[in-house]
Amino acid sequence: MKSKLILGTVQFGIDYGINNKDGKPSFEKVKEILDFAYIKGIRLLDTAEAYGDSQSRIGEYHKVSSRKFNIITKFSPNRKDLSENIIARVNDNLAILGVDYLYSYMFHSYDDYKKYFSSFKDGLIELRNCNKIKKIGVSLHSNDEIIEVLKNSHIDIIQLPFNLLDNSNQREKILLKAKSMEIEIHTRSVFLQGLFFKDPNKIIGNILEIKIDLNRLNNLVSKEKMNDLALNYVYSKEYIDGVLLGVDNVGQLKSNIDCIEGSTTKSIISEVDKIDVLNKTILNPANWRK
C-alpha cells in the first residue's frame, strides 16, 4: 500500500507529547517503528535540526538497514554546531541522516523563512539543481502566511495545520490555489493536541469558545470512532499530498494505519466541512489560555 502518511520523528529525539508516558524510545523501538512503517508503504520521514538526536537516530537506522526513507528536515537557527553556509549545512545533514539527498529542506517557521530565505536562496537553488535537495519548503500556520509564501516561485512545499476544526472551511480556498501553482501540500496537527478526545463539558479557559463545535463533532461519531474520523477526514482530501503523524510506539502506528484502511462515510465528512470556527485564533494551541 502506497501511503500519503508522513511519519513524524520528533519523538525519536526528545521527550515529546503530553500523552507520551514512555519518554524517548530506545533505538530498538525506533527500528521497530521504522521497519513497520516501511512495510506499510510509508516512505517519507519528517524531522528537524531542532529535534534533539532524531536525525542521528535515523542515520543509525540507515546504517543497519537496507530500507531507505526519503527525508524532510527543517532549519533551526539555534543549531550553532552546524555551518551557517547553507550548502555545507545541508551536506552535514545528509551525512548525519545517512542519505544522498533530502526530499525537502524546510524553514521551520514563517519567521525563519522571512529572516533567512534571501541569504540562503542561491545556495538552496544550487542544492536543488544538483539534486542534493528535491524541494524547498516552509512550515506555516496562518492563511496569511500561505498567501505571502505563494508569491515566492522557489517554494515547492508548504506544511500547515489541518484537522476537523481547522478544516476545509478554513483552508480549502487557499490550498486549491496552492495546488493550482503545483505546490505540494503537507498537513500536521491531525488531532489538535488531543482536543478532539476531551469531554467538551470538562474544557476550560478560552477553549470554551469552541465548545459548540466540539459538541457537533461528538454528535457525529462516538468517542471510540473520533480517532478514525480525525485521520480519515484529513486523509480523504485530494488536495492534501501528505499527512504528518507522530507516534510513540509501533502499536500506535498500527492502530492509526488500521483507521485509514477503514472508512468514514462521505456524509459525515460533509458535515465536518460545514463546521466553521469563528474565532480562528483558538485553532492555534499557542493561543490557548486557562
Side-chain angles (χ1 to χ4, degrees):
M1 178 189 79
K2 184 178 179 181
S3 176
K4 66 178 181 180
L5 279 182
I6 303 168
L7 183 62
T9 66
V10 60
Q11 291 93 337
F12 293 1
I14 58 177
D15 290 340
Y16 178 83
I18 57 174
N19 295 318
N20 180 4
K21 298 178 174 60
D22 299 327
K24 191 169 77 171
S26 66
F27 178 71
E28 288 72 22
K29 289 185 178 179
V30 168
K31 186 177 184 302
E32 184 182 15
I33 291 169
L34 292 177
D35 282 340
F36 186 78
Y38 196 94
I39 290 167
K40 282 298 192 176
I42 296 171
R43 294 293 183 270
L44 192 53
L45 305 182
D46 178 276
T47 188
E49 295 171 357
Y51 292 169
D53 62 350
S54 172
Q55 293 195 139
S56 62
R57 300 186 99 189
I58 293 169
E60 186 179 355
Y61 175 84
H62 281 151
K63 287 179 182 178
V64 301
S65 175
S66 61
R67 293 167 172 153
K68 302 295 181 184
F69 286 90
N70 292 317
I71 307 291
I72 297 168
T73 197
K74 307 183 199 75
F75 166 75
S76 171
N78 297 323
R79 283 290 299 272
K80 304 304 182 184
D81 58 316
L82 294 174
S83 176
E84 294 182 6
N85 177 283
I86 192 60
I87 294 177
R89 190 185 192 96
V90 167
N91 282 325
D92 287 345
N93 276 301
L94 294 176
I96 293 168
L97 289 160
V99 293
D100 296 326
Y101 66 89
L102 295 174
Y103 184 79
S104 178
Y105 190 72
M106 301 186 75
F107 293 92
H108 212 146
S109 69
Y110 180 72
D111 287 344
D112 285 348
Y113 161 77
K114 291 292 288 183
K115 186 173 181 179
Y116 294 99
F117 180 80
S118 60
S119 60
F120 289 171
K121 175 183 173 181
D122 291 343
L124 288 172
I125 292 171
E126 181 178 338
L127 287 161
R128 187 172 58 186
N129 288 341
C130 68
N131 292 319
K132 288 294 184 74
I133 60 175
K134 299 295 184 183
K135 300 172 185 287
I136 302 168
V138 190
S139 180
L140 303 167
H141 195 276
S142 71
N143 287 351
D144 288 341
E145 291 174 354
I146 298 171
I147 290 168
E148 288 301 311
V149 166
L150 292 185
K151 296 175 184 177
N152 186 341
S153 62
H154 298 294
I155 298 302
D156 306 299
I157 295 178
I158 56 173
Q159 184 194 101
L160 67 150
F162 191 96
N163 52 61
L164 296 171
L165 296 183
D166 205 345
N167 57 10
S168 62
N169 219 314
Q170 311 291 334
R171 304 287 193 182
E172 184 169 302
K173 184 177 180 180
I174 188 63
L175 294 186
L176 288 175
K177 180 179 179 181
K179 289 298 290 183
S180 73
M181 300 170 67
E182 299 185 343
I183 302 293
E184 192 168 322
I185 297 169
H186 295 176
T187 62
R188 63 181 187 272
S189 196
V190 171
F191 303 122
L192 197 55
Q193 293 199 3
L195 182 62
F196 305 135
F197 310 122
K198 295 184 181 295
D199 183 343
N201 294 315
K202 294 182 179 179
I203 61 174
I204 59 175
N206 60 350
I207 305 176
L208 283 168
E209 292 185 45
I210 56 174
K211 180 178 178 180
I212 188 172
D213 302 301
L214 292 172
N215 279 326
R216 286 184 69 177
L217 291 175
N218 278 274
N219 289 334
L220 290 175
V221 295
S222 66
K223 182 179 179 181
E224 291 75 22
K225 291 293 183 181
M226 189 63 71
N227 192 86
D228 299 42
L229 175 59
L231 272 172
N232 278 296
Y233 177 73
V234 181
Y235 206 87
S236 70
K237 298 301 180 181
E238 293 184 359
Y239 50 81
I240 292 174
D241 300 293
V243 180
L244 177 61
L245 185 70
V247 299
D248 300 325
N249 54 65
V250 75
Q252 285 183 4
L253 181 57
K254 183 181 186 303
S255 176
N256 286 322
I257 290 173
D258 287 346
C259 288
I260 291 169
E261 291 178 342
S263 63
T264 298
T265 65
K266 290 182 179 180
S267 62
I268 292 179
I269 288 174
S270 178
E271 288 302 311
V272 176
D273 284 338
K274 296 175 185 177
I275 296 174
D276 185 10
V277 175
L278 298 179
N279 184 356
K280 312 296 190 266
T281 64
I282 298 297
L283 297 175
N284 183 354
N287 295 323
W288 294 352
R289 302 288 182 266
K290 293 183 179 180

